[in-house]
Amino acid sequence: MEWNLRRMESELRQINPDLLQPSKSFKKPSSGTITINVGGYLYAAQRQTLAKHPGSLLEEMVTGKKPVLHVDSMGNTFIDRDGPIFRHVLNFLRMGELVLPEDFKEAELLRREADFYRLSELAQALQDWEQQQAGQREPAFLEVTDSHERSQGLKVYCSDSSFIEKVKNRLVQISKSRLDGFPEEFEVSSNIIQFRHFIKSEQGSRLVLKQDSTFLCTLECLKLETVMLALKGGFRLLTSLDSSRGSVVQCEALHFVK
């Protein structure tokens, strides 16, 4: 067995001598290409790319200012951070600008990685990207109307269907001590829900808050819950009709925008 291992090691050295040298690319200044393991993902880059920003963690690692503390089984320097997100860090170092997919949803994670690697330029580029995205995003419109009649009830319209989902996820119907989920009869479309009544044909059916099944929902409760979700979600109140009733909950119509 020992002879076989020595023979294998000899053959590997003939194929690529660097394979059996722990962190050789970091220790050898003349090595132009460096392979690092970030959270289980291998990345290869030129030394000058990783050292582009003086004072950053990567620059200190490749120049030897900061000792390598961990290596993987192949001798590559190991960094215990998010592997997939590091590609955006490396692309920023390569191109000198931040280029992200249109559907990128991990800005907060990338910001934390920029802080960890001490790349203030990346953090600033990310902030600029977020401001640009906010300027391009179409505003979301929310309308809450209440006819104060049981036959019509409360109508909630939002151009952003994800807000409608948030409202639905707050409510559940209970029938004979079982949870039935959100009543389909209240769903007009993906952008509209309308609460015309609360008691279905089945006796004992009631609509409650999911977090408190003992709290029976009324029109006023549903309206207040919708308004609170809107404000927490970044919506701001534009107009309210018939506010003379003395309460936002009593208004016939509320209009929000985000």
Side-chain angles (χ1 to χ4, degrees):
M1 177 66 70
E2 182 178 356
W3 180 83
N4 288 336
L5 290 176
R6 289 181 179 178
R7 181 179 177 181
M8 182 181 300
E9 180 177 339
S10 176
E11 291 177 350
L12 286 173
R13 289 185 185 280
Q14 292 178 5
I15 297 174
N16 186 351
D18 288 343
L19 285 177
L20 300 176
Q21 300 298 321
S23 297
K24 186 174 182 180
S25 60
F26 271 83
K27 295 181 179 180
K28 186 178 179 181
S30 61
S31 178
T33 303
I34 295 174
T35 300
I36 59 176
N37 184 334
V38 183
Y41 288 74
L42 295 180
Y43 291 91
Q46 292 185 345
R47 179 182 296 272
Q48 63 184 19
T49 299
L50 296 176
K52 183 173 292 185
H53 293 273
S56 68
L57 176 63
L58 295 171
E59 184 268 339
E60 292 181 353
M61 293 178 65
V62 300
T63 58
K65 297 177 183 178
K66 183 178 180 63
V68 175
L69 301 179
H70 305 285
V71 296
D72 62 14
S73 59
M74 296 301 294
N76 301 309
T77 294
F78 178 77
I79 303 177
D80 191 14
R81 301 295 292 187
D82 190 277
I85 203 73
F86 185 76
R87 75 184 185 95
H88 301 300
V89 177
L90 186 55
N91 283 335
F92 175 78
L93 295 176
R94 287 169 171 162
M95 298 183 293
E97 61 178 330
L98 182 62
V99 179
L100 298 173
E102 293 183 359
D103 59 345
F104 185 69
K105 304 295 185 182
E106 298 182 306
E108 182 59 32
L109 176 59
L110 182 55
R111 186 180 357 266
R112 295 187 182 187
E113 296 305 286
D115 293 339
F116 173 79
Y117 293 109
R118 301 202 297 272
L119 291 168
S120 58
E121 295 86 352
L122 174 57
Q124 182 60 51
L126 179 60
Q127 182 177 340
D128 295 341
W129 178 85
E130 287 182 306
Q131 292 177 350
Q132 182 181 11
Q133 293 297 113
Q136 296 176 351
R137 189 181 304 117
E138 293 185 1
F141 178 73
L142 169 64
E143 181 183 52
V144 182
T145 55
D146 182 4
S147 66
H148 298 286
E149 294 181 6
R150 185 180 178 84
S151 60
Q152 297 299 320
L154 179 71
K155 180 180 179 181
V156 180
Y157 163 79
C158 188
S159 59
D160 182 1
S161 59
S162 65
F163 178 79
I164 297 297
E165 288 298 319
K166 289 182 181 179
V167 176
K168 290 164 56 178
N169 290 335
R170 290 281 292 163
L171 304 169
V172 65
Q173 182 169 273
I174 296 182
S175 301
K176 293 184 178 180
S177 300
R178 72 173 187 271
L179 298 180
D180 292 338
F182 186 83
E184 294 183 359
E185 63 184 279
F186 296 150
E187 300 182 44
V188 179
S189 70
S190 60
N191 298 98
I192 301 175
I193 49 180
Q194 186 163 6
F195 303 96
R196 294 186 178 89
H197 53 81
F198 299 101
I199 305 301
K200 298 178 66 177
S201 58
E202 184 178 351
Q203 186 176 4
S205 176
R206 62 189 186 277
L207 191 66
V208 299
L209 293 177
K210 185 176 294 185
Q211 286 75 10
D212 185 0
S213 59
T214 64
F215 190 87
L216 181 64
C217 289
T218 62
L219 283 178
E220 289 76 14
C221 169
L222 288 172
K223 184 187 291 186
L224 181 59
E225 190 71 22
T226 302
V227 170
M228 294 303 296
L229 285 175
L231 296 177
K232 290 180 180 179
F235 283 88
R236 57 187 178 88
L237 180 64
L238 285 181
T239 60
S240 58
L241 301 181
D242 193 13
S243 58
S244 61
R245 296 172 182 263
S247 171
V248 172
V249 176
Q250 296 298 324
C251 292
E252 292 185 356
L254 299 169
H255 301 112
F256 299 82
V257 69
K258 181 172 71 168

